[in-house]
């Protein structure tokens, strides 16, 4: 079964983005494929949840977005990790989850064509949206 590592998140809002009231969400991760994943050339369907960090239960701001597929196939012999970098735009109102400072993170989840799954959480980005 694969695993996710080196998860990262960036949120950028240029002056133009502020006028349009949108935020660019950038994220990345490494999908480490198991020997079976590589041999079988398994396909993983990956999507993300945008969450507002809370002490007890995170706010679910947007679920199962930016769906994409990653094939467990490496160009370099002996390599078992696939680096993925993605970005999308979101309305800034989606990220406005708290009074004052908003605390945003992503939960990235991958599901194999066999039904096995793995997930990981990015670090938290703080800002005012």
């Amino acid at each position: 079964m694969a695993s996710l590592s080196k998860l990262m998140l960036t949120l950028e809002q240029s002056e133009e983005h502020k006028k349009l009231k949108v935020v660019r969400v950038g994220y990345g991760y490494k999908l480490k494929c198991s020997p079976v994943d590589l041999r079988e050339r398994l396909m993983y369907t990956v999507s993300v949840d945008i969450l507002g960090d809370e002490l007890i239960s995170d706010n679910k701001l947007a679920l199962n977005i930016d769906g994409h597929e990653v094939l467990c196939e490496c160009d370099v012999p002996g390599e078992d990790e696939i680096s993925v970098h993605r970005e999308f735009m979101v309305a800034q109102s989606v990220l406005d989850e708290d009074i004052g400072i908003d605390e945003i993170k992503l939960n990235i989840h991958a599901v194999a064509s066999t039904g096995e799954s793995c997930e990981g959480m990015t670090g938290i980005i703080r800002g005012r949206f």
Side-chain angles (χ1 to χ4, degrees):
M1 180 170 86
S3 62
L4 294 170
S5 65
K6 299 186 180 169
L7 289 79
M8 56 75 82
L9 168 65
T10 60
L11 301 174
E12 292 182 16
Q13 192 175 34
S14 68
E15 289 304 314
E16 195 65 28
H17 290 147
K18 287 178 184 177
K19 289 178 190 174
L20 297 170
K21 297 185 180 193
V22 296
V23 177
R24 187 189 68 76
V25 178
Y27 68 98
Y29 60 89
K30 287 191 180 244
L31 179 69
K32 181 175 175 65
C33 300
S34 73
V36 172
D37 293 338
L38 290 167
R39 185 175 61 249
E40 300 294 323
R41 298 186 59 200
L42 289 184
M43 181 73 72
Y44 278 82
T45 301
V46 182
S47 63
V48 300
D49 299 331
I50 302 175
L51 304 173
D53 186 59
E54 296 296 332
L55 189 57
I56 295 174
S57 179
D58 292 334
N59 294 328
K60 295 172 176 78
L61 307 177
L63 303 177
N64 293 316
I65 59 172
D66 196 43
H68 58 281
E69 294 182 331
V70 179
L71 177 64
C72 281
E73 179 178 70
C74 295
D75 296 332
V76 179
E79 183 64 40
D80 61 357
E81 287 187 330
I82 300 165
S83 293
V84 178
H85 298 280
R86 309 247 329 155
E87 63 181 55
F88 59 90
M89 302 297 275
V90 66
Q92 74 182 28
S93 61
V94 170
L95 304 181
D96 186 11
E97 55 96 29
D98 263 337
I99 296 173
I101 302 294
D102 302 302
E103 298 167 312
I104 306 300
K105 61 186 177 182
L106 296 184
N107 183 36
I108 302 172
H109 36 94
V111 180
S113 50
T114 60
E116 295 179 342
S117 64
C118 59
E119 65 183 328
M121 194 78 68
T122 66
I124 299 168
I125 301 282
R126 291 172 176 79
R128 290 185 183 268
F129 303 102

